[in-house]
């Protein structure tokens, strides 16, 4: 089973579950019954928090091409350290 998105022009988006490959191009809206067209979106990708996505991207970039620095990074200001 997979979840497919549909968009009613009056009631907005809703999701239906079908076996993979059996989703129809349109489906009746559960609210008003009108013909709702299927919409395509990348599943689950939008749920990644932006800060986490940025950190993952930075990690991948760093693995391929580490950032070049021209000086020693400044000392961190952690409490309890001298
Ligand atoms: Zn509707």
């Amino acid at each position: 089973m997979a979840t497919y998105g549909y968009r009613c022009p009056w009631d907005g988006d809703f999701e239906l579950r079908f076996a993979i490959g059996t989703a129809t191009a349109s489906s009746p809206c559960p609210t008003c019954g009108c013909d709702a067209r299927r919409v395509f979106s990348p599943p689950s990708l939008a749920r990644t928090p932006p800060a986490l996505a940025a950190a993952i991207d930075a990690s991948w970039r760093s693995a391929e091409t580490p950032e070049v620095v021209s000086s020693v990074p400044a000392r961190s200001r952690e409490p309890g350290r001298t």
Side-chain angles (χ1 to χ4, degrees), residues 8 11 29 32 34:
C8 170
D11 300 308
C29 170
C32 69
C34 77

